[in-house]
Amino acid sequence: MRIYLFDPGNGVYEGETFDENGIINNEEGITTIAPPEYEHGQVPIFNRCKEEWTVLPVTEIRQLLHVDAATAEKKS
C-alpha cells in the first residue's frame, strides 16, 4: 500500500513510500490519504485532526516555521 509521510509536528509533506510491513498502524507522520497536486513553490500540509491536506505557498510555510528565506535559499 502506498503511504504518504509528513512531519508530525507541523504537517509538512515529506514524500511517499510503500507500506510492506503494516507500519501505518504504528507510526505517527503517516497517512494513506494522498496529497493534492501542487506546483513549484507550494507545499502540502497535512492536518491530522481534519485528516486532510492543504496546499500553502513556500513563502508562507517559511514564515510559519520561522525560517529565514535567505538561509533556506542557500540550502537549496
Side-chain angles (χ1 to χ4, degrees):
M1 169 187 336
R2 184 175 288 185
I3 57 174
Y4 304 93
L5 311 171
F6 62 91
D7 183 289
N10 57 33
V12 173
Y13 178 59
E14 294 181 337
E16 63 182 68
T17 190
F18 288 92
D19 180 15
E20 298 174 3
N21 302 316
I23 62 171
I24 187 69
N25 297 324
N26 302 323
E27 298 288 329
E28 288 189 27
I30 297 174
T31 184
T32 56
I33 302 168
E37 291 187 27
Y38 60 98
E39 298 178 11
H40 181 75
Q42 298 179 325
V43 178
I45 306 294
F46 190 69
N47 182 319
R48 289 186 290 177
C49 295
K50 294 181 179 180
E51 293 191 3
E52 67 183 17
W53 292 96
T54 303
V55 177
L56 297 175
V58 171
T59 53
E60 191 172 327
I61 299 301
R62 286 180 179 152
Q63 291 172 351
L64 292 173
L65 298 176
H66 304 290
V67 175
D68 183 307
T71 302
E73 292 279 337
K74 289 180 183 179
K75 291 181 180 179
S76 298

